[in-house]
Amino acid sequence: MNVTCSVVIACNNAETVIVECLSRLIRQGENPNLEIIVADGSSDRTAQLVEARFPSVKLLRFEHPSTLPVLRAGAIASATGQIIALLDPYSMVSPDWLERVLKEHSEQTHAAIGGAVDLYHADEQGILAWARYFNEYGMFMSPVEKGVIEILPGCNISYKRELLFDGDKPRSEEFWKTFVHAELEASGGVLWQSSHIPVELWKPVGFASFLMTRFLHGRCYAAMRCADASPAARFLRL
């Protein structure tokens, strides 16, 4: 039986990288088992570029601004694949990335599988690019060891469908890998790191934009984590 894969990419103002990101995915071949979904909440030309250059890509438009967890959850809800892979628009896949993802899932029973993340054109990058890379993904630099791991990279991760759905219904209206992984481990599952599924990170954003993104991500995560907390618990965390 052919295994199908849905690749989910959540975008907020990714016009500088989305063409290269999608071009590399399209070059995986005219694979009928590959579905590419872009969830876009941008105020730039990301959606227009996707529509004009990649008619086979499923484009979902969201209001701007929309958080990445909302965008990812919306795309996951529309995914039809047995394997659901999450990439960033900054994730530049290798030519045989899809083949490697499907092979790893066929060989492993684990529901959550991640791969390596290297810096794009590493020899040409300056100190700020390296600093951003190490801050977010340094622990996933090649070579990575194959096996059980405590954390997986959000820009290169794939799931068996049953982990993200209850039947045909998505488990959450916002996708946070931290909570998904905590539930998986609480039920006896593990996070699996593959040594054979690499992507390269190309993130040409300014340092101020990088800091703002980290701040907004942290604030959004904290809000979700404390959603059911009492006023006293919120005050103590603050």
Side-chain angles (χ1 to χ4, degrees), residues 83-195:
I83 305 299
I84 299 176
L86 270 62
L87 297 175
D88 282 348
Y90 311 108
S91 303
M92 305 297 149
V93 300
S94 59
D96 58 350
W97 176 86
L98 175 62
E99 178 183 341
R100 290 169 180 255
V101 168
L102 296 179
K103 183 174 186 293
E104 193 74 16
H105 274 278
S106 71
E107 295 176 351
Q108 305 294 337
T109 59
H110 308 299
I113 297 177
V117 182
D118 297 313
L119 186 59
Y120 180 77
H121 289 180
D123 294 342
E124 303 172 9
Q125 301 299 335
I127 189 170
L128 288 181
W130 276 103
R132 290 194 299 264
Y133 166 73
F134 278 122
N135 175 267
E136 293 187 275
Y137 298 109
M139 68 183 72
F140 305 111
M141 177 187 286
S142 296
V144 294
E145 280 192 39
K146 182 175 184 176
V148 177
I149 195 170
E150 293 183 354
I151 186 172
L152 293 173
C155 68
N156 185 20
I157 190 168
S158 54
Y159 301 98
K160 291 179 172 62
R161 183 180 183 85
E162 55 267 24
L163 180 63
L164 305 182
F165 285 80
D166 282 323
D168 293 330
K169 183 180 179 181
R171 294 181 185 272
S172 177
E173 294 181 358
E174 292 188 37
F175 177 85
W176 287 97
K177 69 181 178 100
T178 303
F179 300 121
V180 172
H181 295 175
E183 291 177 5
L184 172 64
E185 292 175 314
S187 66
V190 299
L191 307 179
W192 184 260
Q193 178 77 50
S194 170
S195 58

Side-chain angles (χ1 to χ4, degrees), residues 59-71:
L59 175 63
L60 307 178
R61 293 175 178 264
F62 291 75
E63 291 184 2
H64 176 79
S66 293
T67 65
L68 291 179
V70 168
L71 294 173

